Amino acid sequence: MLMVNTHEGWSRKYKTDYCYIQPSPGTYPYQYFWDTCLHVFILTGLGEYDLAKKNMLSLFAMQGADGFVGHMLHWSHPFPAKWTDIFQGKPSVDLLRPHMSALIQPPLVAQTVQRIYEGTQDKRFLQVMMPKLKKYFDWLRTNRDFDGDGLLSIITPFESGMDWKPTFDEVVGFEHGVATRQLFWKVVGVDARNFFHRYKLATLYKKDHFLVKEVGFNTIYAQNLVAMADLCDALDDFDADKYRRLSRKVVEAMIEQMYDGETAAFYDIYTRSRKKIRVLTPTILFPLVIRGLPRDMSEAIIARHLSNEEEFAAPFPVPSVAKNDPSFDPSESEYLWRGPTWVFYNWFIYQCLYYQDYRVEAEVLRETILRLIRQSGFREYYNPLTGEGYGAKEFTWSGLVVDMLNIDGGDSADSMTDKL
Ligand code: GLC
């Protein structure tokens, strides 16, 4: 599946070879930022290090002089696949040539380079990647930490990677509930505004139409700053301390601003007012992946939400929003991340549980996801109540199950890997 979806070629504009995996050729033809990272987790799990390296090098091949890397790289498909994609890039005449979007996606890139390095001990590759990564993380800090508290802001729901995540309803002005066409126009309206402001961040901050500090994004940021520090250590680079300090600052700000002890959850917050958006999605427990988080916090979050029959317990967990939330819809829909189960969420929460020593709960999650894939194949997402597969077919991300199996040296990996 991964090989069939692999695209290689030569870009005249960037004078480089490129190589990337389409998450699903029909629906998602570009090289996507966080999809590439997820593919690298799968590829390294399968021992495909050369392909993993090529994917990472291509991801940074269009990097701007300021360090920016967009969330969609239009290589062999420069022309927009959907008309709404136009709003996700800066106004430009480049639409017929390779170019990248003006959006970002969760920054898993340091962890993926670390995975490749751990598997290959290839210092040359690390030395090539390190300056690129440093520039990228510098860009994030200087451009998206608007108020200097360490937390990064996203400027459109799509930057979270969880496009129609119900948390954002109230921010875009949609009455919280099951998605309708109105939500579509509200969210596309955010991108259209950003486009008309030419993605000038100072203007977007001033206008404050959509500015959110999202829990998932910032958790991944904190994790990757630690990975940056580890990579620096591998090269005897004194910047290691700088990244460790920054990661601590991010985690402290998350605990202070996003955590609510009364309801035991981490919530997305408005950037400027820091108001919590109290919607229960799986990201309420993402920060558990961070080692050293206070034990009482993890215990409360898991006990209150994960096994709660009203919220996240389901025959095929984890639903992408609590079952008792007014936006919950378990069926197939163009409005993604509003009820169904994504292998991505299970992969992430599996790590949270595993590293916090909730091995039994972690195992349950792994077993149900294996059952789901055996039953319905590698689909984009699934019905959490019936297990029915939905969305793109032969969807690459569901291969993350291989990483889940590898985390614990699982023994059923073989039956899955031959299909990937
Ligand atoms: C959908 C997902 C997003 C992903 C893209 C390509 O838009 O929500 O996270 O990057 O598809 O797979």
Side-chain angles (χ1 to χ4, degrees):
M1 185 168 79
L2 290 166
M3 305 303 160
V4 174
N5 290 2
T6 297
H7 266 247
E8 292 190 72
W10 162 260
S11 161
R12 239 184 325 149
K13 181 178 166 192
Y14 288 95
K15 296 193 182 34
T16 178
D17 290 318
Y18 62 83
C19 171
Y20 70 98
I21 297 172
Q22 296 176 329
S24 170
T27 346
Y28 305 118
Y30 319 125
Q31 179 169 22
Y32 289 84
F33 191 93
W34 85 327
D35 297 59
T36 301
C37 299
L38 300 177
H39 294 151
V40 168
F41 281 111
I42 305 168
L43 289 171
T44 50
L46 296 170
E48 295 284 346
Y49 289 103
D50 284 344
L51 193 51
K53 283 181 195 170
K54 282 191 195 171
N55 273 262
M56 288 309 295
L57 289 166
S58 295
L59 185 61
F60 281 86
M62 294 190 198
Q63 183 170 36
D66 58 355
F68 176 79
V69 180
H71 91 305
M72 290 191 303
L73 271 54
H74 299 248
W75 288 113
S76 50
H77 282 77
F79 204 68
K82 292 186 285 210
W83 65 270
T84 47
D85 291 346
I86 296 174
F87 294 134
Q88 299 191 341
K90 284 189 183 152
S92 123
V93 289
D94 247 358
L95 287 186
L96 296 175
R97 301 197 304 157
H99 63 281
M100 56 183 172
S101 70
L103 272 51
I104 53 175
Q105 265 186 338
L108 291 150
V109 281
Q111 281 179 295
T112 49
V113 170
Q114 189 175 25
R115 268 299 169 89
I116 295 172
Y117 179 66
E118 280 169 3
T120 59
Q121 295 298 310
D122 184 347
K123 271 221 163 105
R124 284 260 303 275
F125 174 72
L126 185 54
Q127 277 155 350
V128 170
M129 289 307 296
M130 216 41 194
K132 302 177 196 294
L133 290 178
K134 283 186 171 189
K135 265 167 81 175
Y136 180 68
F137 281 95
D138 277 353
W139 186 92
L140 288 178
R141 187 181 44 79
T142 8
N143 291 275
R144 290 306 187 86
D145 177 5
F146 290 104
D147 52 14
D149 63 356
L151 299 177
L152 303 183
S153 292
I154 56 172
I155 56 170
T156 160
F158 294 107
E159 290 197 324
S160 68
M162 301 154 199
D163 310 356
W164 311 90
K165 189 184 182 195
T167 327
F168 306 135
D169 289 1
E170 65 167 77
V171 189
V172 301
F174 174 71
E175 195 180 331
H176 191 55
V178 171
T180 64
R181 203 66 190 153
Q182 205 201 0
L183 176 65
F184 174 85
W185 291 113
K186 295 276 186 193
V187 172
V188 171
V190 172
D191 283 355
R193 269 199 215 111
N194 292 344
F195 175 82
F196 288 116
H197 291 304
R198 310 181 75 82
Y199 281 92
K200 285 200 182 108
L201 293 167
T203 313
L204 301 189
Y205 184 63
K206 205 158 77 202
K207 297 267 176 198
D208 193 17
H209 288 308
F210 184 99
L211 287 174
V212 172
K213 292 172 179 167
E214 198 258 340
V215 178
F217 201 108
N218 280 285
T219 304
I220 290 172
Y221 179 47
Q223 270 186 304
N224 279 267
L225 289 170
V226 173
M228 281 299 283
D230 292 345
L231 292 175
C232 284
D233 283 342
L235 294 177
D236 295 322
D237 177 336
F238 293 125
D239 276 349
D241 262 4
K242 176 181 105 179
Y243 291 111
R244 280 211 178 88
R245 254 183 284 123
L246 187 52
S247 176
R248 272 198 298 273
K249 180 173 171 180
V250 174
V251 174
E252 276 160 21
M254 285 175 69
I255 293 176
E256 191 196 315
Q257 298 179 42
M258 295 172 158
Y259 188 67
D260 176 53
E262 220 163 283
T263 53
F266 281 87
Y267 294 109
D268 297 347
I269 58 174
Y270 285 84
T271 293
R272 277 172 172 273
S273 67
R274 298 187 173 173
K275 184 178 152 247
K276 295 186 178 70
I277 310 168
R278 295 171 184 277
V279 177
L280 297 176
T281 70
T283 57
I284 59 159
L285 49 85
F286 266 36
L288 300 194
V289 86
I290 293 159
R291 320 281 162 97
L293 203 76
R295 186 74 186 168
D296 52 338
M297 234 177 234
S298 54
E299 266 169 18
I301 302 176
I302 292 170
R304 285 277 277 279
H305 303 290
L306 198 59
S307 47
N308 185 332
E309 285 294 333
E310 310 255 283
E311 297 178 2
F312 293 105
F316 297 95
V318 178
S320 41
V321 65
K323 292 187 301 182
N324 58 3
D325 187 89
S327 65
F328 175 74
D329 177 0
S331 52
E332 187 160 30
S333 157
E334 65 180 292
Y335 303 104
L336 306 174
W337 307 94
R338 297 177 71 91
T341 294
W342 260 261
V343 175
F344 167 77
Y345 270 147
N346 283 45
W347 171 73
F348 205 94
I349 294 174
Y350 178 79
Q351 295 171 69
C352 297
L353 296 171
Y354 189 83
Y355 294 126
Q356 295 278 345
D357 263 334
Y358 290 92
R359 300 287 160 98
V360 177
E361 290 82 352
E363 196 47 38
V364 168
L365 220 52
R366 195 166 75 163
E367 279 310 309
T368 52
I369 213 71
L370 282 170
R371 205 151 43 84
L372 194 53
I373 294 174
R374 282 198 196 103
Q375 176 184 318
S376 302
F378 290 100
R379 297 296 298 267
E380 186 176 1
Y381 56 98
Y382 306 84
N383 188 311
L385 310 176
T386 65
E388 198 181 338
Y390 295 140
K393 295 199 172 103
E394 305 298 328
F395 190 63
T396 51
W397 293 22
S398 297
L400 283 172
V401 70
V402 166
D403 196 53
M404 286 167 86
L405 294 167
N406 283 343
I407 287 173
D408 193 22
D411 52 15
S412 28
D414 287 349
S415 62
M416 286 286 154
T417 50
D418 51 354
K419 297 199 181 65
L420 289 162

